[in-house]
Amino acid sequence: MSNHRRETPLTGSWEFVTDPDDEGRTAGWSEPGADWPDRATTVEVPHAWQELDAYREYTGRAWYRRTFAADPGAGERVLLRFGAVDYEATVRVNGEEVGSNRGGYLPFAVDATDAATAGENELVVEVVDPDDLSEIPHGKQGEPWYTRVSGIWQPVSLEVVPALRVAGLRATPDLAYDSVSVAVDVIGSGATGTTALSAAIELRREGDVVASADAPIERGQGSTTIALADPDYWSPEEPALYDVGVALEREGEVVDRYEDYFGMRSVDVDDGQVHLNGEPYPIRGALDQGYYPETFYRPFEPDLFAREVELAKDLGFNLLRKHIKPAHPDFLEAADRQGLLVWEEPANPTVHTERSRREVRDQLFGMVDRDYNRPSVAIWSLYNEEWGIGNPQGLDDETSLWEDEAKQEYLVDLYEETRECDPTRLVCDNSGWAHVATDVNDYHEYFVSPDRAGAWDDRLEALATSPEENYAATGTDPAAAPLIVSEFGTWGMCDAPAIEEFYRGRPPWYDHEFLDGLKRPAGYRDRFEKSPLPDVFDDWSDLATAWQYREYRSIKDVIERMRVHDGVDGYVITEFSDIEWEFNGILDYRREPKAFAEEFARVNSERLLRIDLGAHTLETGGELEADLVIVNDSAEPLEGEVEWSVFEKSGTIPVSVPGFATERIEGAISTAVPPTEAPLCDQVRVSHPGAPDNDEPVTAVPEPAPGGDLAVYADGEALASRVAGLGFETADALAESDVAVVVDPDEGVREFAESGGRVVVVPDADGSMADDEFFAYRELPETESWNLVASLLYAVDLPEYVDRVPGWELEGCYPYAVAEGADDDEIRLGYVEGWLSNRAAAVSTREVGDGTVTACTLRTGSGSQPVGRALLADLLEGPP
């Protein structure tokens, strides 16, 4: 702060009182020295009033009060600056209203000069955060997501400034000419008069002056273009910043000084790829919602933003997408200084009305204005998933963006206006789908792997070959836009006891009334104890660790398939950290890395060695074949040899991959599987000095042993052929069999079971369960599903070659349905979603009369998958 400006923080203790009956105005609570109700308390600003137990569910009107001292000199003004107040603020000084603001995320200032007096002044801020947020940009506050946030949640300060002063500046870099255009805005008495004004602009790099220029001020504005000799470009790898200082001069006298910083960098699209500073720059990003335990939108410890940026970079990310609310300005500064791209977007309303459009627009352009000079910000979004512009909620009085031409035209206009306001960044019109005019064709795709690995491959090919299908209208060319999967992911249960310890008790969000089903943490301990899970996992921490590695296994494959696909230019995983009940982060809610973080960083690095196995499951004595795919997102070539090993065998593969290239070496790894009589579980491993190591699991099982004298009845020729292929004797009639394996059981099968027979029910050739005789089934989506990525299969009683949280050993066998259970069922392969809700099973046995019926929903298909064959044989053999 220059000697022309003096700033005093107004953070710290304020009086606070809620006003549920809206009596404060009529009772004169804003008058100097007014008596407030006895329920008034002291809070530490900045804060959200939901941080206090007593006001967790409160919405409506509240009041804040404190005193400040002001001593402006002649010709100076007294400003009160607010970082952000959610939602509507009315500011009074000594009982006089000096300004107001609507909008919960951006800064505003009010001029209190005329109301302030020398010495002590009383400042009262009336805040209204209404219960109904439908027309208000609110992001993920409240139902059905997270805790509400209300009040003065960013810092407040008093600033004494010259009456004639710099209001702001915009620095626009031009890398084609290695220059920067600096535009200066001036306000106050004389800003638009006839008195000669000029701005002396000075650029500094690491403290040294590198360029300067003067800009005459006319009608409150001035601009100039300044050339830089051999400038340093800003990038996440080299976050070079330039300081810019402005001395505002009137008739040769400096009347104000103003400072900011910027970076020399460009972001554009060329040949369907994102380019940074003229070079391809594939995006490796994460969604970041900016919620924190106990403090919500504010960091819970000093320097947390800097630690987050460091963690993101350590995990291999080059971008964070700050989700549906403007980023905290301190976070952006950390990203600028440490080097991390940011994708930023306004908060969303729920409905599309004249008011909600106006408020989104005001927030959008306020965000652009606030963050224009921040080099980290590379992409603006206007809307997310039609929230507040389409009808993703299925509201009766809303229309879909896919179909509403008026909404489409509005969005095209907003896109063009944003591009005109800020041509230095990319603009995404509606993140996820229903694009109309966009620089980025992004998708939200929730596939889980290996459960739906094949479906994910098919979907990727469809995205790359038919980009126009993601557009409701084509105000821009779909073929020209980079394809970015900007949401995907899998859940990995948090260490809930550790979260509770952090909160020093039960987190309040466990019990949000609007949470149900898989989202609801309340009662999770009881559900754990009443399930078969304690038979599989030592305790909750053991479950959480195993589930987190299941998360890693899934996102590893989903990411690798995107990275080796030429049509995909980047991805943004959901998400950087867990948020309240949503446990799909790479970090947990405390910003502590999950169990797999180190392994994830290898997959998410600039270079990737992908092992593309022909099959993860093999027969002992067979052959293992794998391609090697090398992704090189760096400018430098990768050369030399890749070493591989598996089954105590090894070899080398010569490689030479140029920068910004991907190369597949077919059949790079080929070796015999040892002919053992016991199952083998191993890892194919690859390494290169210039890239992170990688590995991929393989499971080999021997051919099922002959079924001895066991006679098996099958209800169909194809199924009978599979049974015979397993070495069992096939029976032509139920009465002649020891066990029946059926797709579509009938009354005869029931009689067989009730009389003491064993029955195994399996899916049909398409993976569907036809049985309605013994079990009720819940279908699972065959492709994308938010529920599936939040689910967990766990093996209670399966052979040793199936992990307790199954992985690639069940490749191609994962079910399209699960059996709804009864309390006395014997669960062999259980299924849960989220916080242990929607319990079911993929392999489950129940008593029927004197016999048993086992439902196996695993898709053993044609019987060619070795583990699937072995599992079916095990089920037919029955208990030892």
Side-chain angles (χ1 to χ4, degrees):
M1 186 67 66
S2 74
N3 57 9
H4 292 83
R5 298 172 177 233
R6 304 185 300 282
E7 185 175 18
T8 303
L10 297 182
T11 52
S13 297
W14 290 56
E15 290 179 88
F16 173 79
V17 65
T18 55
D19 189 5
D21 299 322
D22 288 345
E23 60 182 305
R25 287 198 172 194
T26 56
W29 291 1
S30 63
E31 296 301 317
D35 290 331
W36 280 12
D38 292 341
R39 66 175 180 276
T41 187
T42 299
V43 298
E44 295 297 308
V45 170
H47 93 134
W49 68 59
Q50 287 82 1
E51 295 175 35
L52 306 174
D53 290 340
Y55 311 115
R56 192 85 61 197
E57 304 300 327
Y58 180 73
T59 57
R61 194 178 308 273
W63 300 75
Y64 293 80
R65 180 169 67 183
R66 66 159 294 158
T67 60
F68 68 89
D71 186 24
E76 291 184 318
R77 308 298 293 179
V78 176
L79 303 183
L80 295 168
R81 295 193 181 276
F82 296 81
V85 179
D86 196 329
Y87 154 72
E88 184 172 4
T90 303
V91 184
R92 298 179 177 89
V93 172
N94 298 328
E96 180 179 339
E97 183 175 331
V98 295
S100 62
N101 183 74
R102 269 187 173 184
Y105 299 94
L106 295 175
F108 66 95
V110 297
D111 191 325
T113 309
D114 296 338
T117 61
E120 188 173 82
N121 296 269
E122 187 171 276
L123 168 61
V124 174
V125 182
E126 176 188 1
V127 178
V128 179
D129 196 18
D131 186 64
D132 182 2
L133 296 175
S134 59
E135 292 187 285
I136 297 170
H138 59 273
K140 283 193 169 180
Q141 292 188 48
E143 186 177 1
W145 298 103
Y146 315 131
T147 305
R148 288 283 297 265
V149 177
S150 309
I152 307 175
W153 68 272
Q154 282 195 31
V156 186
S157 63
L158 167 73
E159 189 177 4
V160 178
V161 299
L164 179 62
R165 61 190 181 276
V166 176
L169 66 84
R170 282 192 171 200
T172 305
D174 185 341
L175 271 59
Y177 295 95
D178 281 343
S179 65
V180 58
S181 296
V182 180
V184 179
D185 291 329
V186 176
I187 61 172
S189 176
T192 59
T194 58
T195 303
L197 294 175
S198 66
I201 301 168
E202 189 174 76
L203 305 184
R204 297 183 299 277
R205 174 83 174 100
E206 296 180 335
D208 296 328
V209 176
V210 295
S212 61
D214 291 332
I217 304 297
E218 297 180 359
R219 293 184 293 277
Q221 296 181 324
S223 64
T224 187
T225 298
I226 304 173
L228 291 167
D230 192 23
D232 296 322
Y233 294 162
W234 186 96
S235 70
E237 295 71 31
E238 298 289 340
L241 295 175
Y242 287 85
D243 295 306
V244 52
V246 177
L248 181 62
E249 299 178 352
R250 177 174 56 192
E251 297 179 344
E253 178 187 358
V254 175
V255 296
D256 187 28
R257 293 186 183 275
Y258 185 93
E259 294 185 350
D260 202 350
Y261 66 87
F262 70 96
M264 291 291 292
R265 68 103 183 87
S266 66
V267 183
D268 52 29
V269 169
D270 186 22
D271 195 25
Q273 290 182 302
V274 174
H275 280 59
L276 181 71
N277 301 336
E279 291 190 330
Y281 203 82
I283 299 299
R284 303 187 306 277
L287 195 76
D288 181 10
Q289 310 211 41
Y291 256 85
Y292 301 91
E294 297 187 318
T295 52
F296 308 116
Y297 287 170
R298 298 183 296 110
F300 53 77
E301 64 184 22
D303 301 322
L304 181 57
F305 288 145
R307 184 163 73 88
E308 284 185 307
V309 173
E310 182 179 2
L311 282 167
K313 291 171 70 74
D314 288 346
L315 289 167
F317 294 117
N318 56 27
L319 176 145
L320 289 182
R321 178 183 166 212
K322 304 296 284 189
H323 194 36
I324 50 177
K325 64 180 175 63
H328 196 295
D330 293 346
F331 176 88
L332 292 180
E333 182 166 356
D336 291 337
R337 297 195 181 281
Q338 294 171 248
L340 185 70
L341 294 177
V342 175
W343 182 338
E344 206 175 353
E345 56 197 20
N348 66 280
T350 304
V351 298
H352 188 69
T353 64
E354 183 178 348
R355 175 183 174 183
S356 72
R357 285 195 302 270
R358 181 177 65 251
E359 295 215 12
V360 166
R361 186 185 182 284
D362 288 347
Q363 186 184 134
L364 169 65
F365 290 109
M367 180 175 65
V368 172
D369 185 62
R370 185 194 70 172
D371 301 333
Y372 186 88
N373 293 337
R374 303 290 73 89
S376 59
V377 180
I379 306 173
W380 303 118
S381 278
L382 311 182
Y383 286 90
N384 171 74
E385 293 183 351
E386 297 185 66
W387 294 4
I389 187 174
N391 193 23
Q393 310 94 333
L395 301 176
D396 292 338
D397 54 352
E398 283 291 341
T399 56
S400 169
L401 184 59
W402 287 102
E403 301 167 352
D404 192 319
E405 292 184 5
K407 288 181 176 180
Q408 295 168 9
E409 291 171 2
Y410 154 77
L411 193 53
V412 170
D413 290 343
L414 189 59
Y415 162 83
E416 291 176 348
E417 190 176 0
T418 307
R419 288 287 294 166
E420 183 177 358
C421 178
D422 182 6
T424 70
R425 295 176 172 91
L426 307 182
V427 176
C428 177
D429 56 350
N430 174 51
S431 182
W433 61 73
H435 295 296
V436 295
T438 183
D439 299 326
V440 173
N441 181 14
D442 72 325
Y443 297 78
H444 297 172
E445 303 283 342
Y446 286 93
F447 283 78
V448 64
S449 191
D451 313 35
R452 300 294 184 263
W456 178 228
D457 264 345
D458 294 342
R459 180 60 176 156
L460 282 175
E461 191 62 22
L463 304 187
T465 56
S466 302
E468 70 283 352
E469 293 185 1
N470 207 33
Y471 285 66
T474 51
T476 54
D477 181 6
L483 191 164
I484 296 177
V485 179
S486 61
E487 285 192 28
F488 70 96
T490 305
W491 293 33
M493 178 58 72
C494 63
D495 187 344
I499 300 295
E500 292 161 8
E501 182 179 354
F502 183 91
Y503 273 89
R504 302 169 301 281
R506 185 185 181 89
W509 42 266
Y510 274 18
D511 301 292
H512 282 322
E513 291 184 2
F514 55 76
L515 296 180
D516 57 14
L518 66 87
K519 294 181 178 181
R520 188 166 182 81
Y524 78 87
R525 291 176 184 269
D526 187 54
R527 291 193 292 276
F528 176 77
E529 294 298 334
K530 290 182 177 178
S531 75
L533 288 162
D535 297 332
V536 182
F537 304 99
D538 296 338
D539 52 24
W540 186 270
S541 179
D542 188 31
L543 166 65
T545 299
W547 200 330
Q548 288 171 23
Y549 273 105
R550 190 269 184 161
E551 174 186 5
Y552 168 66
R553 182 164 53 237
S554 177
I555 59 179
K556 174 183 188 291
D557 187 62
V558 170
I559 286 175
E560 288 189 355
R561 288 172 192 265
M562 285 189 286
R563 296 195 68 179
V564 302
H565 198 293
D566 290 339
V568 180
D569 196 48
Y571 54 84
V572 180
I573 191 171
T574 308
E575 57 194 316
F576 186 49
S577 74
D578 293 349
I579 303 295
E580 295 195 345
W581 52 267
E582 196 171 25
F583 54 85
N584 50 6
I586 310 300
L587 313 175
D588 71 15
Y589 200 18
R590 304 166 300 165
R591 273 49 177 188
E592 295 298 324
K594 288 187 177 176
F596 59 82
E598 184 175 340
E599 290 95 326
F600 175 81
R602 298 202 300 265
V603 176
N604 198 42
S605 68
E606 200 171 40
R607 289 170 167 173
L608 170 70
L609 306 177
R610 157 82 169 172
I611 305 163
D612 197 347
L613 282 161
H616 289 77
T617 58
L618 309 162
E619 287 187 354
T620 57
E623 291 290 323
L624 180 148
E625 297 280 347
D627 295 350
L628 175 67
V629 189
I630 302 171
V631 180
N632 184 10
D633 287 344
S634 72
E636 298 300 318
L638 181 72
E639 298 179 333
E641 292 185 334
V642 171
E643 297 184 0
W644 65 266
S645 64
V646 65
F647 300 134
E648 299 184 349
K649 300 176 182 179
S650 62
T652 60
I653 307 162
V655 297
S656 179
V657 184
F660 305 118
T662 298
E663 180 175 318
R664 177 181 290 269
I665 304 173
E666 296 184 355
I669 302 171
S670 179
T671 188
V673 182
T676 62
E677 295 183 2
L680 290 174
C681 298
D682 203 356
Q683 302 279 333
V684 184
R685 294 181 172 85
V686 292
S687 63
H688 184 283
D693 298 351
N694 204 355
D695 53 62
E696 206 59 33
V698 288
T699 302
V701 293
E703 179 77 12
D709 296 331
L710 197 67
V712 179
Y713 168 80
D715 66 345
E717 291 184 9
L719 191 53
S721 176
R722 287 170 55 196
V723 169
L726 295 175
F728 291 99
E729 177 186 346
T730 58
D732 294 330
L734 278 168
E736 301 171 357
S737 68
D738 299 298
V739 59
V741 55
V742 297
V743 169
D744 192 4
D746 55 18
E747 186 60 30
V749 174
R750 173 172 285 279
E751 291 175 1
F752 174 78
E754 289 178 343
S755 63
R758 283 195 303 113
V759 177
V760 178
V761 183
V762 296
D764 64 18
D766 295 327
S768 299
M769 299 300 295
D771 168 37
D772 60 4
E773 184 74 27
F774 299 110
F775 287 84
Y777 298 93
R778 184 168 76 249
E779 292 186 359
L780 303 179
E782 298 182 20
T783 56
E784 179 188 32
S785 170
W786 202 69
N787 282 58
L788 275 184
V789 301
S791 70
L792 182 77
L793 281 168
Y794 59 96
V796 183
D797 180 25
L798 288 181
E800 61 182 2
Y801 50 81
V802 178
D803 190 31
R804 59 181 182 166
V805 176
W808 283 101
E809 66 272 24
L810 294 185
E811 179 181 18
C813 294
Y814 280 93
Y816 289 160
V818 285
E820 304 282 11
D823 290 341
D824 54 355
D825 287 350
E826 178 190 356
I827 305 300
R828 297 191 66 182
L829 182 59
Y831 175 91
V832 292
E833 294 176 352
W835 289 85
L836 311 189
S837 69
N838 301 333
R839 277 177 52 193
V843 180
S844 181
T845 301
R846 65 177 47 164
E847 294 181 358
V848 178
D850 293 331
T852 63
V853 177
T854 297
C856 173
T857 66
L858 293 173
R859 295 179 294 118
T860 54
S862 64
S864 61
Q865 208 270 34
V867 168
R869 285 167 50 82
L871 279 174
L872 182 57
D874 178 81
L875 291 176
L876 295 178
E877 287 281 1

